[in-house]
Amino acid sequence: MKKAVYPGSFDPLTFGHLDIIKRAAKIFDELTVAVLDNKAKTPLFSVDERVNILKEAVKDIPNVKVESFNGLLIDYAKDKGFHTSIRGLRAITDFEYELQIAQTNAMLSKNQLDTMFLVTSVKYSYLSSSGVKEIAAFGGDISKCCPGFVADMVYEKYGIKRD
Ligand code: ADP
C-alpha cells in the first residue's frame, strides 16, 4: 500500500491546504495529515482544535487520516512507516525553505524519508494561514480562504462578530 504523510501547522486550515490534501489523496492509497505540535510557536488554535477542524474538513475523503505529532518529522515517519512527505509549493520563497527542510530530512533519515512537492493551484497561490489570520483579526472577509465553519472559528478567536 502506498502511503504518505502531509505534515504542517494548519493554523488555520485553508483551501490551499485542502487542495493539496485532495490531490495527494488521489496519488496515494492512504494519506495522513499530521498536525505539528510545535512548542516554539504560539498558535491561534490548539493542536486538538486543528486536528478536529481537519477531521471535519476531510470526513468525506475515505483514505485520509488526521493525527498530530511532536518532535522531528523523521522520527514520527519512521515510527509510522512513512517514506514520503508531501509539501505544497506556492512561490520561490517557499522553494528555498522547503528545499532546505527536504534535504535535511533526507540526510537525517538516511534517505528513508523523501519529500514530494505538489505545486499550488493558481487560484490558491496567494493563500497562507498567516494571511488569513491577519485579515480576520481586522474583521476582513476570509470566506474565500477557508471553509465556512473554519472562518467562524477564526473570527470567534479574535472576538469578531460578522453576519
Ligand atoms: P508549516 O508551518 O509546516 O509551513 P503550513 O500549515 O503553513 O505549515 O503549511 C503546510 C504545507 O502546506 C506547506 O508545505 C505549505 O507550503 C503548504 N501550503 C500552505 N498554503 C498553501 C497553498 N495556498 N497552496 C499550496 N500549498 C500550501
Side-chain angles (χ1 to χ4, degrees), residues 4-10 21 31-37 47 50-51 54 65-69 73 76 82 87:
V5 59
Y6 177 30
S9 306
F10 309 104
I21 291 170
L31 177 74
T32 300
V33 183
V35 178
L36 173 61
D37 187 0
V47 171
R50 282 177 276 157
V51 166
L54 274 155
K65 295 202 299 187
V66 184
E67 290 182 353
S68 64
F69 74 105
L73 175 65
Y76 168 69
F82 297 126
R87 296 287 287 176

Side-chain angles (χ1 to χ4, degrees), residues 120-134:
T120 183
S121 300
V122 175
K123 61 181 171 179
Y124 302 129
S125 61
Y126 66 93
L127 277 181
S128 71
S129 296
S130 50
V132 169
K133 285 183 275 195
E134 221 167 295

Side-chain angles (χ1 to χ4, degrees), residues 91-108:
I92 242 351
T93 40
D94 272 350
F95 179 76
E96 284 184 27
Y97 170 74
E98 294 289 346
L99 179 73
Q100 196 180 19
I101 295 179
Q103 290 177 332
T104 304
N105 283 335
M107 183 272 292
L108 286 175

